[in-house]
Amino acid sequence: MAVSLQKGQKISLNKEAGGELTQVKLGLGWDVAQGPQDKKGGFLGKLFGGGSGGDSIDLDASCIMFDSNKQAIDAIWFSQLKSKDGSIVHTGDNRTGAGDGDDEVINVDLSKVPANVVSLVFTVNSFTGQTFETVENAFCRIINANNNAEVARYNLSAQGGHTAMIMAKVYRHNNEWKMHAIGETASGRTFHDLMPAITPHA
């Protein structure tokens, strides 16, 4: 049974998975908010529902690798889908949010994460600058890649004028991997813009 995380909560991934967890997937999903009209007067369903010439919500998941000095070592995002050491792989950019389940997935081989990397911070941001007012049912979840069982889920329920969120951190503590649900809102089109907000959480 997956644990449903609250903001600020920390858990042991091994404990929740019932054994050593080495291959994990971070899944990110979201839907278009179904309001009657957006602030520009257009109908959201028409704008974001995939109609002819319609726009879409393009949220991007990123993972930044930090060392013990809170220095960023590498970043995995839509312009670099694989970490330089090969331990983290992004499955690719979903530009619509259409469909059920995970819209973007980042695969992490915890056994191959370099020893000098102590934390992995996961973020989501709107590259097109759309705010989270247009997003609903957003979530991130950790999945045991060996059996596809969901280990933990964190609902990103904060709607508002922000364009990004620092979702969660997976980090080493006493020779085991833990997860911290951060859930801090921010603004920026890519993880580069978020670094001043991300680094304190590393």
Side-chain angles (χ1 to χ4, degrees):
M1 183 73 180
V3 61
S4 180
L5 294 174
Q6 304 299 314
K7 182 175 179 177
Q9 188 175 352
K10 299 177 182 179
I11 59 167
S12 163
L13 292 180
N14 288 352
K15 182 178 177 181
E16 298 300 334
E20 186 177 3
L21 203 58
T22 56
Q23 304 275 344
V24 300
K25 297 189 285 187
L26 181 121
L28 168 70
W30 68 91
D31 292 322
V32 177
Q34 298 299 315
Q37 288 185 313
D38 71 359
K39 291 183 177 178
K40 295 178 182 175
F43 286 91
L44 281 174
K46 183 177 179 182
L47 267 175
F48 301 123
S52 59
D55 205 341
S56 58
I57 296 179
D58 181 12
L59 296 183
D60 298 311
S62 303
C63 174
I64 302 93
M65 308 171 76
F66 287 93
D67 65 14
S68 59
N69 295 317
K70 295 192 175 187
Q71 294 295 311
I73 295 173
D74 202 357
I76 299 84
W77 59 307
F78 66 80
S79 284
Q80 182 188 309
L81 295 176
K82 188 175 183 179
S83 62
K84 296 180 179 72
D85 56 70
S87 65
I88 302 176
V89 179
H90 195 309
T91 60
D93 188 16
N94 178 323
R95 298 186 177 180
T96 65
D100 296 329
D102 301 321
D103 293 307
E104 292 196 8
V105 176
I106 297 176
N107 294 298
V108 182
D109 186 340
L110 294 172
S111 67
K112 293 184 178 178
V113 173
N116 64 322
V117 174
V118 299
S119 65
L120 312 171
V121 179
F122 295 90
T123 67
V124 56
N125 49 270
S126 169
F127 181 74
T128 52
Q130 291 158 311
T131 71
F132 273 64
E133 291 170 327
T134 60
V135 177
E136 65 182 17
N137 302 326
F139 66 86
C140 68
R141 64 188 189 129
I142 291 281
I143 304 144
N144 183 342
N146 292 321
N147 58 11
N148 280 326
E150 184 175 298
V151 177
R153 175 182 288 253
Y154 181 40
N155 289 317
L156 310 171
S157 57
Q159 285 189 309
H162 53 284
T163 60
M165 181 174 281
I166 304 164
M167 296 187 293
K169 174 174 73 170
V170 173
Y171 64 101
R172 299 183 203 259
H173 181 72
N174 293 336
N175 296 316
E176 68 171 319
W177 287 99
K178 296 195 171 188
M179 181 178 180
H180 176 201
I182 299 172
E184 292 292 336
T185 60
S187 290
R189 296 176 67 233
T190 70
F191 80 89
H192 296 97
D193 302 330
L194 307 178
M195 287 305 290
I198 294 170
T199 303
H201 295 285

